[in-house]
């Protein structure tokens, strides 16, 4: 699977370099392994291997851009921020429970 992620990023990078060099320039450098590990610890989970490999290639973008068709790749810090925001609003969602001891 690691090889497939690396190959996919290589194809994306090549295409962007040829067809959208401005977008290629906003791909961030890799996330440091300790940043990924700290984020996993903060969230109390292990990221899927594919996500880790992607973050090791590019830690999101250096600035906002439409690089990929569905959504932009998030940096580790943005993953943590999205989680924090969702957990803040989660209690207001009908039927949401944070665990077995929580009343819905």
């Amino acid at each position: 699977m690691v090889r497939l992620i690396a190959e996919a990023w290589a194809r994306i990078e090549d295409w962007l370099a040829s067809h959208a060099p401005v977008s290629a320039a906003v791909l961030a450098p890799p996330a440091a392994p300790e940043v990924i590990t700290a984020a996993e610890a903060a969230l109390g989970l292990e990221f899927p291997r594919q996500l880790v490999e992607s973050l090791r290639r590019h830690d999101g973008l250096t600035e906002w851009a439409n690089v990929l068709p569905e959504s932009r790749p998030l940096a580790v810090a943005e993953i943590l921020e999205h989680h924090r925001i969702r957990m803040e609003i989660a209690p207001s969602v009908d039927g949401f429970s944070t665990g077995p001891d929580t009343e819905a």
Side-chain angles (χ1 to χ4, degrees), residues 2 7 9 13-14 17-18 20 22 29 33 35 52 63-64 67 70 84 87 89 93 96:
V2 172
E7 289 173 2
W9 268 117
E13 292 159 352
D14 288 347
S18 295
V22 173
V35 170
V52 171
E63 62 185 68
W64 191 93
V67 175
E70 293 296 321
R84 184 192 64 75
M87 291 301 100
I89 65 170
V93 176
F96 176 79

Side-chain angles (χ1 to χ4, degrees), residues 71-82:
S71 64
R72 63 188 179 85
L74 297 178
V76 174
E78 292 171 310
I79 292 169
L80 290 170
E81 180 65 7
H82 278 249

